[in-house]
Amino acid sequence: MPKVGMKELREQQLIDATLESVAQYGLHNTTIVTISRLAGLSSGIISHYFGGKQGLVDATVKHLLSQLKIALLEKTHDKQLSPEQRLMVIIDANFSQTQRSVAATKTWLSFWAQSMHEPGLARLQHINNKRLYSNLLHSYRRILNNEAANIAAKQTAAMIDGCWLRSALSLRPEEEFVQAQALCKKFIKDLLVHSA
């Protein structure tokens, strides 16, 4: 009889190993063998829990999306935040350490490239884009009229994604992520000043 919680533990071990494998070898060269070796588990367990490599990759991306959501909820749940404060928290969540670690950045970059060819990953990317836009729009609508809020949400989402991407691809990512986070916050503050 399996121990209680063993399935969740094994699944998380495999997700962590997938992140590490993608960081070391890239998504294309990540295989069931590289993942199982890094996890210290048999390769058959991947098929058992996830149905194969693609199912595990999908679960890994869902894990990153979940971490992004948790980072936002931890800072907003049961707190009375002004719209501007909430916008700043959205920036912080998108540039949190879990989203800018080497393993996460390499997985996100691989995921974005592969999502153009893999319908399941494309769907997850659409969900991610929609969630970011919706969160931004919710805050902007409390300050701006509908049209201005829509434009501001789209601009801010593009700013976050663009700054994140440039930081991830830079020669000094950790330093660039810090600057990018500050730039995104400044963008929002300047936008709100000019909209007032």
Side-chain angles (χ1 to χ4, degrees):
M1 176 179 239
K3 294 179 185 174
V4 175
M6 188 57 70
K7 179 180 186 286
E8 293 78 11
L9 176 66
R10 293 288 184 246
E11 287 176 348
Q12 190 58 52
Q13 281 178 285
L14 291 167
I15 286 169
D16 292 342
T18 303
L19 286 165
E20 184 59 35
S21 182
V22 172
Q24 285 186 34
Y25 309 112
L27 183 59
H28 184 71
N29 293 320
T30 286
T31 64
I32 287 175
V33 173
T34 63
I35 296 166
S36 60
R37 188 177 66 235
L38 287 166
L41 299 169
S42 73
S43 57
I45 203 164
I46 293 172
S47 293
H48 175 70
Y49 285 138
F50 298 100
K53 176 187 165 185
Q54 192 56 52
L56 179 52
V57 169
D58 289 352
T60 302
V61 173
K62 286 177 185 173
H63 169 74
L64 289 175
L65 289 169
S66 173
Q67 292 302 304
L68 184 56
K69 183 178 178 181
I70 289 167
L72 181 60
L73 289 175
E74 283 177 348
K75 295 180 183 222
T76 59
H77 186 68
D78 287 341
K79 294 183 180 148
Q80 297 297 318
L81 300 175
S82 71
E84 184 175 342
Q85 288 171 323
R86 194 171 185 281
L87 287 164
M88 297 303 153
V89 167
I90 293 169
I91 299 294
D92 290 340
N94 279 273
F95 287 94
S96 67
Q97 194 57 50
T98 57
Q99 298 302 316
R100 65 189 201 200
S101 69
V102 171
T105 56
K106 289 187 177 184
T107 301
W108 274 119
L109 293 170
S110 297
F111 158 64
W112 283 337
Q114 193 61 32
S115 69
M116 293 184 284
H117 309 286
E118 174 61 45
L121 293 179
R123 183 183 62 77
L124 290 174
Q125 179 57 31
H126 176 72
I127 290 168
N128 185 39
N129 287 345
K130 193 172 179 181
R131 183 182 294 162
L132 175 58
Y133 173 74
S134 176
N135 279 326
L136 292 166
L137 185 61
H138 173 76
S139 294
Y140 278 125
R141 278 190 173 152
R142 293 173 57 198
I143 310 168
L144 307 170
N145 66 48
N146 270 347
E147 183 181 354
N150 282 317
I151 292 169
K154 287 178 182 179
Q155 289 174 325
T156 307
M159 184 78 174
I160 292 168
D161 288 344
C163 285
W164 190 96
L165 180 61
R166 289 177 67 88
S167 299
L169 294 172
S170 75
L171 296 175
R172 297 180 310 278
E174 196 54 43
E175 182 181 315
E176 292 292 329
F177 274 123
V178 171
Q179 290 177 9
Q181 187 173 357
L183 279 172
C184 287
K185 289 183 174 186
K186 183 179 184 314
F187 174 80
I188 290 171
K189 287 177 183 176
D190 290 348
L191 189 151
L192 294 177
V193 165
H194 293 307
S195 299

